[in-house]
Amino acid sequence: MESSVLLYYYGVVLILLIGVMVLNMFWWKPRKMKRYFMEQGIRGPSYMPFIGSLGELAKMYARATPPPSPTPPSHPHHSILPYVFPHLHAWREHYGRAFLYFYGRSPRLQITDPELIKEFTMNPRNFSQSIQHPLVHNLLGKGIVASGGDTWATQRKTLSPYFFMESLKGVSTVAQGAAEEMIQRWSELIGSNEVEIEVLLEFEKVSQCIIAKMLFGNDAEQAMPMLQMQAEQSAISSRSVKSFYIPGFKFFPTSVNRRSKWLRRETERRFDELIERRYRSGGQRDDDWLELMISSRSMSRQQIIDECCTFMIAGSESTNLLLTWACFLLSIHTEWQVRAREELHQVLKGQRPNVETINQLKTLNMIINETLRLYTPLPFVMKIVNEQVKIGNLTIPAGVGVEMPIIAVHHDPKQWGENFDQFDPSRFAEGVSKAAKHPMAYMPFMLGPRICMGMNFALIEAKVVLAMVLQDFTFVISPAYKHDLVFGLSLKPKYGTPLLFHKI
Ligand code: HEM
């Protein structure tokens, strides 16, 4: 046979093979997966080759707008699910509390039953983290949030002592100092007037300052630019995670990619300098976390940088949002401000709060819990199944992304009753395990061995700062406030949170 004819046949076979592979990837496999779950009683929206369920999802997001806020916005509603996560709301209503959809050709199983979430999260070896987007990698590196398996277990063991109660006492002292400085500034600004303050920006500064002090001690001031760079990196990643990632796109020199790379390089360079100075000073410094990491001698320089980058963002953004949402809620439900202030008066008797006295502030605690329920800062967690796993009556094959939308559990009438979308801190009067139908339906820090490491850190910080603000000011919502939210990596007020403050 002539060589050109042979080449022709080879070409045809190759094209056929590629065709079969494409068909398998984009048609047979997803349909097989859909059938597999259907047999287990799990339904979901239809699958379209290449785009999966994304077409339907995009239409829902395009249509989703928040209901108009009353003017003045004295009582914005808290029923946020239908417009912040419209697909979640609509598909839950239609297909039930567990459903399957396709992100492109990747199968995603949503579970909102707390019992299933508890079972799934119990064994972290069953899953790996879902952080695949290169821009998120620039934010967190190979720090603990991004890692899995044995590496994660070692990281968790090494870092856990920083969060023991003894070292958390420092958080309360540092938080008190940072809040005092902020209050001083506000007091000078307010005088005897009523003044509008953008609390989202103010609490960002405070929470950055607190984590910087815990991480870098006396070098905190110098480290502040790195925290701001991480905040910018987080904003870039937040915008990007919503878009569909095309493999290899990170190599394109777009302005976003270039900025993100520059921020990563610059943060690493500054860290390197800081760590180098610490090495040269021979360990004669405070017992801040950076020093603890360096002197443990179990972490490489890159690991230290990655963990610090992780803590800089995990330790400031969510706590900032907790404080912001708590003040927003108190500014419209002012009766709870009065109750919290009365309690502060009775318990603290004019003293500033500390790690011991905050435990006696029951009303403040209920307000924080209710804030974390309604406006949970990290509303969404996803993991990729490593090896087939069984939870409840469900068998989930490897490769499936399991989505656990905390916010949907927190806004589920089945768990919280018909007033699920109302601010009612008293539902936590008997403690978190009795607040909902299922004892674990309240999960702002997630569940299982990968539960947030900084939970106590965040709660101490939030209680100290909020208590001090309540001791010195009354506040109401500003007429400039517009109730809309945006979700990237965390749940933020879209147009900030301007509140009107008055000095007591
Ligand atoms: C209100 C504030 C906070 C909330 C709502 C929150 C929530 C969460 C959630 C839901 C997770 C699980 C994420 C996942 O599995 O994908 C998590 C993990 C984590 N958080 Fe927080 N967090 C807060 C504050 C903090 C603070 C202040 C720190 C550190 C100082 C911190 C450090 C971490 C770390 C290191 C992990 C990863 C733990 C692991 O994978 O083993 N968080 N957080």
Side-chain angles (χ1 to χ4, degrees):
M1 217 187 284
E2 252 187 56
S3 63
S4 60
V5 177
L6 253 180
L7 218 62
Y8 171 78
Y9 282 120
Y10 279 143
V12 170
V13 171
L14 193 69
I15 289 169
L16 276 175
L17 265 177
I18 292 173
V20 170
M21 267 166 65
V22 170
L23 261 178
N24 186 38
M25 270 167 77
F26 292 98
W27 183 249
W28 290 320
K29 256 181 132 174
R31 295 193 67 83
K32 207 171 127 196
M33 185 66 80
K34 211 167 156 43
R35 248 197 331 273
Y36 183 81
F37 276 102
M38 283 275 268
E39 281 159 14
Q40 302 188 62
I42 303 292
R43 297 174 307 136
S46 53
Y47 171 80
M48 294 283 287
F50 300 103
I51 58 167
S53 322
L54 290 178
E56 210 174 309
L57 191 138
K59 270 191 228 150
M60 285 186 200
Y61 273 87
R63 280 198 301 263
T65 45
S69 273
T71 320
S74 48
H75 269 88
H77 55 90
H78 307 305
S79 183
I80 54 177
L81 207 58
Y83 64 95
V84 182
F85 297 103
H87 68 298
L88 228 166
H89 176 70
W91 289 338
R92 185 181 74 179
E93 296 287 295
H94 206 263
Y95 304 111
R97 282 180 170 75
F99 59 83
L100 182 82
Y101 77 101
F102 286 83
Y103 196 85
R105 66 185 185 92
S106 313
R108 297 268 176 99
L109 177 71
Q110 285 260 347
I111 50 172
T112 51
D113 176 352
E115 191 56 35
L116 288 185
I117 297 180
K118 185 186 97 185
E119 260 192 68
F120 182 74
T121 50
M122 216 142 61
N123 190 355
R125 285 180 196 279
N126 285 341
F127 54 78
S128 52
Q129 292 298 77
S130 66
I131 300 161
Q132 294 154 332
H133 204 295
L135 293 177
V136 180
H137 180 80
N138 285 348
L139 178 70
L140 301 171
K142 291 186 180 156
I144 182 165
V145 170
S147 68
D150 290 341
T151 317
W152 164 78
T154 314
Q155 281 165 299
R156 181 100 192 185
K157 207 167 147 211
T158 313
L159 301 172
S160 285
Y162 307 170
F163 294 93
F164 289 166
M165 212 50 212
E166 204 43 47
S167 50
L168 288 180
K169 279 189 183 155
V171 176
S172 144
T173 316
V174 167
Q176 205 193 93
E180 204 71 79
E181 193 265 325
M182 177 188 77
I183 285 171
Q184 185 68 32
R185 222 167 1 92
W186 289 9
S187 299
E188 281 163 22
L189 191 76
I190 294 169
S192 55
N193 305 318
E194 190 175 56
V195 169
E196 186 179 288
I197 292 178
E198 175 45 79
V199 288
L200 183 65
L201 294 180
E202 288 293 319
F203 291 140
E204 181 182 38
K205 274 187 227 151
V206 161
S207 49
Q208 282 183 348
C209 174
I210 294 168
I211 191 72
K213 274 257 176 230
M214 294 304 293
L215 271 172
F216 308 116
N218 291 334
D219 289 325
E221 197 65 43
Q222 275 169 283
M224 282 316 271
M226 291 195 286
L227 272 111
Q228 272 135 29
M229 282 190 227
Q230 275 296 86
E232 187 187 341
Q233 188 78 271
S234 168
I236 292 178
S237 323
S238 292
R239 281 196 301 272
S240 318
V241 286
K242 282 193 186 160
S243 55
F244 192 64
Y245 179 67
I246 302 162
F249 192 68
K250 67 175 175 177
F251 300 110
F252 281 73
T254 61
S255 57
V256 168
N257 283 349
R258 274 184 292 141
R259 181 73 187 160
S260 172
K261 271 187 208 152
W262 182 85
L263 285 167
R264 178 74 201 179
R265 262 201 319 271
E266 189 57 19
T267 314
E268 289 204 4
R269 189 189 63 76
R270 285 171 190 241
F271 254 120
D272 236 27
E273 277 175 17
L274 188 57
I275 296 173
E276 192 55 43
R277 270 207 307 280
R278 293 284 180 108
Y279 275 128
R280 276 200 245 113
S281 74
Q284 299 297 306
R285 305 187 69 99
D286 322 336
D287 53 356
D288 55 60
W289 289 2
L290 179 60
E291 202 55 49
L292 292 177
M293 286 185 213
I294 292 173
S295 54
S296 79
R297 296 187 192 283
S298 60
M299 293 165 80
S300 70
R301 200 180 270 217
Q302 189 59 49
Q303 271 175 307
I304 295 177
I305 293 176
D306 284 351
E307 298 305 1
C308 286
C309 281
T310 299
F311 283 141
M312 284 196 293
I313 204 68
S316 59
E317 200 166 285
S318 317
T319 324
N320 166 23
L321 288 166
L322 165 56
L323 281 163
T324 300
W325 288 123
C327 281
F328 156 74
L329 285 163
L330 288 172
S331 77
I332 48 176
H333 301 281
T334 47
E335 69 283 8
W336 281 97
Q337 249 185 77
V338 176
R339 284 176 71 165
R341 214 169 275 118
E342 268 168 21
E343 181 187 71
L344 287 168
H345 202 66
Q346 271 169 20
V347 175
L348 302 181
K349 301 188 171 62
Q351 299 293 307
R352 288 309 197 187
N354 61 38
V355 77
E356 273 101 32
T357 50
I358 50 170
N359 288 329
Q360 299 163 36
L361 302 170
K362 211 174 157 216
T363 308
L364 193 81
N365 196 31
M366 294 191 311
I367 291 170
I368 299 246
N369 285 341
E370 184 65 339
T371 306
L372 284 170
R373 182 186 74 83
L374 276 176
Y375 292 89
T376 192
L378 289 184
F380 205 87
V381 167
M382 185 181 101
K383 312 283 172 195
I384 310 281
V385 173
N386 287 334
E387 276 177 39
Q388 178 169 299
V389 20
K390 197 164 164 29
I391 50 164
N393 295 325
L394 271 178
T395 306
I396 314 172
V400 173
V402 175
E403 295 187 344
M404 292 162 284
I406 301 173
I407 191 91
V409 185
H410 285 182
H411 284 242
D412 189 347
K414 191 176 154 196
Q415 294 298 337
W416 304 92
E418 283 314 310
N419 75 343
F420 73 94
D421 57 354
Q422 277 162 38
F423 178 70
D424 180 12
S426 60
R427 68 176 92 235
F428 287 99
E430 303 287 308
V432 289
S433 59
K434 299 224 172 86
K437 206 161 162 218
H438 191 284
M440 286 182 168
Y442 176 71
M443 52 177 84
F445 299 98
M446 248 294 126
L447 304 174
R450 285 203 82 142
I451 192 168
C452 172
M453 273 187 107
M455 179 171 82
N456 290 326
F457 184 122
L459 292 174
I460 293 171
E461 173 180 336
K463 284 181 200 172
V464 168
V465 177
L466 190 58
M468 288 173 67
V469 168
L470 282 163
Q471 279 180 320
D472 284 28
F473 307 99
T474 59
F475 45 95
V476 290
I477 196 129
S478 160
Y481 178 80
K482 264 171 79 181
H483 195 49
D484 199 355
L485 294 92
V486 58
F487 171 65
L489 296 172
S490 54
L491 194 62
K492 290 185 175 154
K494 192 167 178 180
Y495 304 105
T497 311
L499 305 182
L500 296 175
F501 279 79
H502 202 281
K503 185 130 182 57
I504 293 175

